[in-house]
Amino acid sequence: MPITPATATHSSSSGTEDAILLELVDENGVTIGTAEKLAAHQPPGQLHRAFSVFLFDERGRLLLQQRAVGKYHSPGVWSNTCCGHPYPGEAPFAAAARRTHEELGVSPSLLAEAGTVRYNHPDPDSGLVEQEYNHLFVGLVQSPLRPDADEVGATAFVTPAELAERHAKDTFSAWFMTVLDAARPAVRELTGPSAGW
């Protein structure tokens, strides 16, 4: 069962409630500690480990997700296929695969590392700050989506031209273009020149 709101807790083996913790990292991505999820996003933000996934269909179209309106951070905006935070000690690759399945009900048929990007993006609507060391992943999705309505408001597969049109009229997450631009070399390698990424 997915647990994503910043204030959500989960039961430990002793039956007590534990706060969701994120890995704090230095500028080189080396773990230096942990912080509670919401606290890490309070201004000015604490640099923490995150991941972003970009999945494509057989036609080279990017799967976008509209974040559910109940999300604590950037609700209702469009963004990349999946993003989130590894639990402390969890490999970013494993976290990316886990959250993709939890949010969209699918496992990528291919998932590959696509580098990292460091950014600082305040969210003017919530007042929270994305101060992240982000691990990027690209891959393929070939199964029907089964989105979790608590996580995902809508989905869409888009070509580069359709993305440009949608980006001009819809609201996207503050980090979307940063992570997409950083992932583009791997996206082009995955989708080939004819896809236009």
Side-chain angles (χ1 to χ4, degrees), residues 55-58 63 106-110 139-143 145 157:
L55 296 183
F56 296 82
D57 66 8
E58 302 86 3
L63 173 58
V106 294
S107 295
S109 56
L110 171 74
L140 298 174
V141 60
Q142 296 174 305
S143 308
L145 304 177
F157 283 96

Side-chain angles (χ1 to χ4, degrees), residues 161-179:
E162 290 166 342
L163 174 60
E165 183 179 316
R166 187 180 288 264
H167 196 262
K169 65 181 179 67
D170 293 333
T171 304
F172 276 71
S173 64
W175 62 87
F176 175 74
M177 287 308 298
T178 300
V179 292

Side-chain angles (χ1 to χ4, degrees), residues 96-120:
R98 171 179 59 80
R99 287 301 297 152
T100 299
H101 189 268
E102 289 173 352
E103 292 187 9
L104 295 161
V106 294
S107 295
S109 56
L110 171 74
L111 191 64
E113 294 182 9
T116 59
V117 63
R118 157 65 162 109
Y119 54 78
N120 177 0

Side-chain angles (χ1 to χ4, degrees), residues 68-115:
V69 295
K71 302 277 272 187
Y72 81 100
H73 190 334
S74 303
V77 304
W78 287 91
S79 198
N80 48 295
T81 308
C82 179
C83 55
H85 309 94
Y87 293 127
E90 183 181 27
F93 185 94
R98 171 179 59 80
R99 287 301 297 152
T100 299
H101 189 268
E102 289 173 352
E103 292 187 9
L104 295 161
V106 294
S107 295
S109 56
L110 171 74
L111 191 64
E113 294 182 9

Side-chain angles (χ1 to χ4, degrees), residues 34-88:
T34 60
E36 190 275 326
K37 187 175 181 180
L38 187 57
H41 290 86
Q42 297 293 334
Q46 295 174 279
L47 183 59
H48 58 274
R49 194 176 310 284
F51 64 83
S52 289
V53 177
F54 297 87
L55 296 183
F56 296 82
D57 66 8
E58 302 86 3
R59 294 167 49 191
R61 298 180 304 168
L62 171 61
L63 173 58
L64 298 177
Q65 93 158 246
Q66 184 181 36
R67 294 164 63 83
V69 295
K71 302 277 272 187
Y72 81 100
H73 190 334
S74 303
V77 304
W78 287 91
S79 198
N80 48 295
T81 308
C82 179
C83 55
H85 309 94
Y87 293 127

